[in-house]
Amino acid sequence: MAIILGIDGLEIEYVEEFGCRNLMQGSFGKTDISEFEEPRTIVLWSSFLTGKNLEKEIVAMGNERMWNFKLKAEQTFFKNFDSFKAVDVPGYNYSKEHHLRERDLLKKFFNDEITVEEFIGPMVAYHEKIKENFLADLGAGFGLLFYYFNVADVVGHVSFGVKEKMQQIYMDLDEIAGRAAAKGEPLFIISDHGMKAVGQYGDHRSEYGFWSNNLGKELGNPKITALSAFVAEEMR
Ligand SMILES: [Zn+2]
């Protein structure tokens, strides 16, 4: 079984500063996303899944409809595996309901209608649910198990400049990576884009994302679109 942990908005500087050894694994580094005009989550994950830059196609759908973009398994590296389970992956089967709720609450937070904790609470609760399912699925024997976690991105948008808050989130993600690594199977960790602090808040970085693996493969500074072939060829 191969395992992919997709972690939205994971910033390499915090991974190193907080000493998240399980997220770093044996080999890790930055991806190169500078070919994209903007570091949009849905565009980057879809481009990772297919190995093609899908920015033009997805942006043409417009801001509202962009999140409806859905690939078929045959268009992605999922087709290279005998069996797979993908959970909450943007561009494939992301939970639209949760995304809309997240956007709605974020708007309320920035309009001063709810507190930061009232925003973070439901986001962490959703994360806990996905985490529980992931840990349960670790023993299920899929050819590929791909879980997506977006808590670092969503909490990052409201608190990236608040290090203690972010450290809690990163340590939790590090624990998840540790539980996955304990399976002794090929483990690939990937993030679409890093984050940078804007005061107490956070914004997407446009230059790089994050990768790591436990296969001893030093990938350098690969384009995110080059990693589709890596997963298809090296992770099986
Ligand atoms: Zn993202």
Side-chain angles (χ1 to χ4, degrees):
M1 180 172 78
I3 305 166
I4 299 179
L5 278 182
I7 303 181
D8 210 287
L10 190 73
E11 170 55 44
I12 193 168
E13 285 183 6
Y14 275 0
V15 168
E16 292 185 299
E17 186 177 336
F18 301 149
C20 302
R21 306 210 68 83
N22 299 313
L23 290 174
M24 291 188 259
Q25 306 194 77
S27 309
F28 72 102
K30 290 174 180 172
T31 60
D32 175 3
I33 57 167
S34 59
E35 70 187 282
F36 296 89
E37 275 176 32
E38 278 186 48
R40 293 181 180 89
T41 292
I42 182 81
V43 168
L44 293 167
W45 288 107
S46 303
S47 300
F48 167 59
L49 288 169
T50 56
K52 290 181 197 135
N53 182 333
L54 295 175
E55 186 169 41
K56 276 208 178 80
E57 189 180 330
I58 296 174
V59 169
M61 294 172 75
N63 274 335
E64 284 303 310
R65 293 187 54 241
M66 213 179 280
W67 281 91
N68 296 334
F69 182 78
K70 273 201 171 49
L71 294 159
K72 296 188 176 73
E74 310 89 82
Q75 296 171 284
T76 74
F77 54 68
F78 296 151
K79 68 173 185 291
N80 297 86
F81 292 84
D82 294 336
S83 64
F84 72 92
K85 180 169 182 174
V87 175
D88 221 14
V89 177
Y92 183 69
N93 63 356
Y94 188 77
S95 161
K96 190 142 186 251
E97 198 186 317
H98 177 69
H99 174 65
L100 290 174
R101 185 155 163 255
E102 177 190 310
R103 215 166 51 167
D104 180 51
L105 287 177
L106 195 61
K107 211 192 233 168
K108 287 192 169 130
F109 168 71
F110 282 115
N111 287 337
D112 284 331
E113 290 166 39
I114 59 172
T115 65
V116 71
E117 290 308 326
E118 283 170 327
F119 173 74
I120 290 177
M123 299 302 122
V124 170
Y126 181 77
H127 167 75
E128 291 297 335
K129 193 182 80 186
I130 300 271
K131 174 181 174 180
E132 194 182 307
N133 293 343
F134 174 66
L135 296 177
D137 274 340
L138 273 177
F142 294 100
L144 172 67
L145 186 65
F146 183 172
Y147 261 71
Y148 167 78
F149 294 90
N150 79 342
V151 72
D153 178 274
V154 291
V155 175
H157 277 294
V158 299
S159 293
F160 195 77
V162 186
K163 265 194 196 171
E164 314 79 72
K165 183 82 233 167
M166 294 314 295
Q167 189 164 10
Q168 285 174 19
I169 302 285
Y170 275 59
M171 294 326 286
D172 184 62
L173 291 166
D174 194 59
E175 187 218 322
I176 292 172
R179 299 279 289 272
K183 287 283 153 194
E185 307 280 352
L187 172 62
F188 187 60
I189 301 177
I190 169 93
S191 184
D192 50 350
H193 52 77
M195 298 285 285
K196 60 187 173 205
V198 182
Q200 64 177 305
Y201 307 124
D203 205 356
H204 295 183
R205 275 194 199 272
S206 54
E207 318 86 49
Y208 61 80
F210 176 89
W211 63 265
S212 77
N213 70 71
N214 61 352
L215 302 170
K217 302 278 181 186
E218 295 299 339
L219 303 176
N221 185 213
K223 288 187 174 185
I224 192 171
T225 44
L227 292 172
S228 179
F230 171 79
V231 169
E233 287 155 24
E234 310 279 349
M235 294 285 295
R236 282 186 297 156

